Amino acid sequence: PTNAADTNVVNARKVSFPVKVDLSSATIVLARNTETFTYNGAAQVPYYGVVVKVGETTIPASGYTVAYSNNVNGGTYAHATITGTGLYSGTKTVSNLFYINPKSITSYGISAEVSTGTLTTNPTVVVKDGSTVLTSADYEVDFSGNVATITGKGNYTGTITKTFTLVDKTIASATAASCISVITTAPA
């Protein structure tokens, strides 16, 4: 041995340690960009999941967890947050993963009922999505003559037009006895 350091090396071998990949700069997209989402009252998640990439490298699904938020209401974009696991570290949130379309107020399962109105009082309007009664946050009503125009807002979109009967309140509230009294007291 010509070098003292060479005499101390016994069974030297090269060992490599994996380096964690940071996902904080990852891109997150839907696995199938043809998926569409429409308001249904429940939290929505992509059926096919997401694809996560760092540069051109696709990260395996086992390398991260994903949590969705802001994924219920129509007219909003869902958020997704990925968090690295195993050989992957870091967190990334995307705030526009997919858009939730408002549900059409003319869709199957939506019904609108308009009661009888009077010349001075608008009728009562009840709009239901299945058995759920919608609130004023979901629609607005405009009256013109005997027509109610119901327009979706918030989680709903579209318009329904319903006609209703207008009744003269004085005739509608008259009793049989008051009608007979009027007839019998008429001048001769």
Side-chain angles (χ1 to χ4, degrees), residues 60-107:
S62 61
Y64 59 88
T65 60
V66 61
Y68 300 97
S69 59
N70 200 47
N71 57 336
V72 175
N73 290 323
T76 60
Y77 284 92
H79 304 179
T81 300
I82 59 162
T83 302
T85 61
L87 297 176
Y88 301 91
S89 65
T91 299
K92 173 74 181 263
T93 298
V94 62
S95 60
N96 61 347
L97 182 63
F98 58 86
Y99 183 75
I100 302 173
N101 295 295
K103 184 175 184 177
S104 174
I105 205 160
T106 60
S107 296

Side-chain angles (χ1 to χ4, degrees), residues 48 58 73 83 116 120 130 149:
Y48 299 101
T58 300
N73 290 323
T83 302
T116 300
T120 58
T149 302

Side-chain angles (χ1 to χ4, degrees), residues 95-181:
S95 60
N96 61 347
L97 182 63
F98 58 86
Y99 183 75
I100 302 173
N101 295 295
K103 184 175 184 177
S104 174
I105 205 160
T106 60
S107 296
Y108 176 78
I110 302 227
S111 62
E113 299 168 9
V114 180
S115 66
T116 300
T118 68
L119 297 175
T120 58
T121 307
N122 287 328
T124 302
V125 176
V126 177
V127 181
K128 293 182 180 180
D129 186 349
S131 61
T132 302
V133 176
L134 303 185
T135 69
S136 61
D138 299 315
Y139 66 92
E140 58 187 29
V141 182
D142 291 315
F143 296 99
S144 178
N146 68 330
V147 176
T149 302
I150 305 159
T151 304
K153 64 180 186 177
N155 291 318
Y156 296 88
T157 187
T159 301
I160 299 173
T161 303
K162 292 283 190 175
T163 57
F164 58 91
T165 304
L166 283 173
V167 178
D168 184 343
K169 187 175 183 179
T170 57
I171 294 173
S173 62
T175 64
S178 64
C179 290
I180 293 170
S181 173

Side-chain angles (χ1 to χ4, degrees), residues 30-47:
L30 290 176
R32 293 210 178 154
N33 64 1
T34 56
E35 267 190 279
T36 59
F37 304 86
T38 300
Y39 172 76
N40 64 8
Q44 301 200 38
V45 297
Y47 181 78

Side-chain angles (χ1 to χ4, degrees), residues 20-62:
K20 287 193 172 211
V21 175
D22 183 12
L23 300 181
S24 62
S25 63
T27 58
I28 307 167
V29 296
L30 290 176
R32 293 210 178 154
N33 64 1
T34 56
E35 267 190 279
T36 59
F37 304 86
T38 300
Y39 172 76
N40 64 8
Q44 301 200 38
V45 297
Y47 181 78
Y48 299 101
V50 295
V51 173
V52 177
K53 287 187 174 187
V54 174
E56 295 298 314
T57 303
T58 300
I59 307 304
S62 61

